[in-house]
């Protein structure tokens, strides 16, 4: 296990990093990714359960990227653009957020992909890369996920990762459209990670994303 002080320092000084797999490469989010992201991200279904409201124009998405990068500048988030290696194009986004260095924990969230890439294995590999980095490089003891209680697709995707459902925070957030959402929380702990990692590797090998 990474020593407590070293892990806390790494989380306090969280820096942009590139994480590469077989299907996807996670690069630090940048405004230059806007064109690619606009081509796949201006779909109302993508943003239906998200916390930011609808993205209907390239300017909306540009403003969203600026907001997320502003959070990074404050040390709150570490956002990534997800690139499809075969095409070299950005197909979605994800990020580390709610980093609690003293508690050695963080959240993986703000994840979306163009609809053509959903169910293609990119999410499983992206989460595998993020979780491996969180537990094995940053020394986290807890990684959490949350989603809208109405978003069954997201809940099933989190459960397929091997995360444990912890419960529901009722009337947790008020969305831009005025609706009030309950949030479902999940987590993976450091002592659960070896089993989750093995499970994810098996999933990726079955999809021919990882080699035996």
């Amino acid at each position: 296990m990474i020593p407590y002080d070293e892990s806390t320092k790494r989380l306090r000084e969280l820096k942009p990093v590139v994480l590469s797999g077989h299907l996807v490469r996670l690069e630090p989010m940048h405004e230059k990714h806007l064109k690619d992201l606009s081509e796949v991200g201006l779909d109302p279904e993508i943003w239906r359960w998200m916390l930011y409201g609808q993205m209907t124009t390239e300017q909306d998405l540009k403003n969203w990227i600026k907001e997320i990068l502003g959070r990074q500048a404050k040390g709150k988030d570490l956002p990534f653009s997800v690139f499809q290696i075969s095409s070299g194009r950005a197909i979605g986004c994800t990020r580390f957020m709610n980093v609690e260095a003293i508690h050695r924990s963080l959240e993986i969230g703000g994840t979306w992909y163009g609809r053509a890439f959903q169910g293609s294995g990119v999410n499983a590999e992206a989460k595998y890369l993020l979780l491996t980095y969180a537990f094995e490089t940053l020394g986290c003891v807890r990684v959490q996920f949350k989603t809208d209680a109405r978003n069954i697709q997201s809940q099933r995707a989190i459960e397929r990762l091997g995360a444990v459902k912890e419960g529901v925070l009722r009337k947790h957030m008020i969305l831009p459209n005025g609706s009030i959402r309950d949030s479902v929380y999940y987590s993976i702990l450091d002592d659960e990670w070896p089993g989750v990692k093995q499970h994810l590797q098996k999933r990726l090998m079955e999809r021919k994303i990882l080699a035996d």
Side-chain angles (χ1 to χ4, degrees):
M1 179 179 289
I2 298 172
Y4 175 83
D5 289 343
E6 182 180 344
S7 178
T8 300
K9 181 180 179 182
R10 291 182 187 185
L11 285 162
R12 280 178 174 158
E13 301 174 357
L14 197 57
K15 293 179 173 62
V17 64
V18 176
L19 303 175
S20 294
H22 296 268
L23 285 182
V24 296
R25 181 179 65 256
L26 278 56
E27 295 189 8
M29 183 186 287
H30 194 282
E31 289 185 16
K32 67 183 179 183
H33 303 154
L34 174 62
K35 184 176 184 298
D36 281 357
L37 294 175
S38 294
E39 290 180 2
V40 299
L42 302 181
D43 181 330
E45 278 302 306
I46 291 174
W47 304 95
R48 182 180 180 188
W49 307 115
M50 301 286 271
L51 303 175
Y52 319 104
Q54 283 291 336
M55 304 288 147
T56 58
T57 67
E58 185 173 301
Q59 185 62 47
D60 289 339
L61 201 55
K62 183 176 182 179
N63 293 340
W64 176 79
I65 291 173
K66 285 184 176 180
E67 177 186 345
I68 301 303
L69 292 177
R71 296 184 189 187
Q72 178 181 346
K74 295 176 182 177
K76 295 181 177 181
D77 290 13
L78 183 61
F80 298 89
S81 295
V82 180
F83 281 77
Q84 182 185 44
I85 290 176
S86 62
S87 68
R89 302 183 69 82
I91 59 171
C93 297
T94 190
R95 68 185 192 271
F96 290 137
M97 54 195 289
N98 294 325
V99 178
E100 296 284 352
I102 193 66
H103 300 301
R104 297 171 66 183
S105 70
L106 53 76
E107 180 175 331
I108 295 175
T111 302
W112 63 268
Y113 304 100
R115 292 182 73 187
F117 306 97
Q118 295 175 18
S120 67
V122 299
N123 183 59
E125 187 178 51
K127 292 298 194 299
Y128 175 76
L129 295 170
L130 291 168
L131 287 164
T132 300
Y133 190 75
F135 286 116
E136 299 182 11
T137 299
L138 299 176
C140 289
V141 299
R142 170 187 168 86
V143 174
Q144 72 177 29
F145 308 83
K146 68 176 183 290
T147 189
D148 194 307
R150 298 166 295 182
N151 190 346
I152 303 303
Q153 180 180 350
S154 176
Q155 291 175 57
R156 297 296 172 263
I158 295 170
E159 290 164 4
R160 285 195 296 271
L161 296 174
V164 174
K165 184 176 180 179
E166 295 183 322
V168 179
L169 293 187
R170 300 178 300 164
K171 293 192 175 180
H172 181 218
M173 296 178 174
I174 300 178
L175 303 186
N177 64 7
S179 66
I180 302 177
R181 100 172 202 178
D182 297 341
S183 294
V184 186
Y185 272 77
Y186 295 83
S187 69
I188 299 171
L189 306 183
D190 58 340
D191 51 356
E192 298 166 343
W193 168 237
V196 171
K197 181 179 182 179
Q198 186 176 37
H199 161 73
L200 285 174
Q201 288 175 330
K202 182 179 179 181
R203 278 185 61 193
L204 294 172
M205 284 188 287
E206 287 173 349
R207 299 190 68 120
K208 310 300 183 184
I209 296 171
L210 286 182
D212 290 317

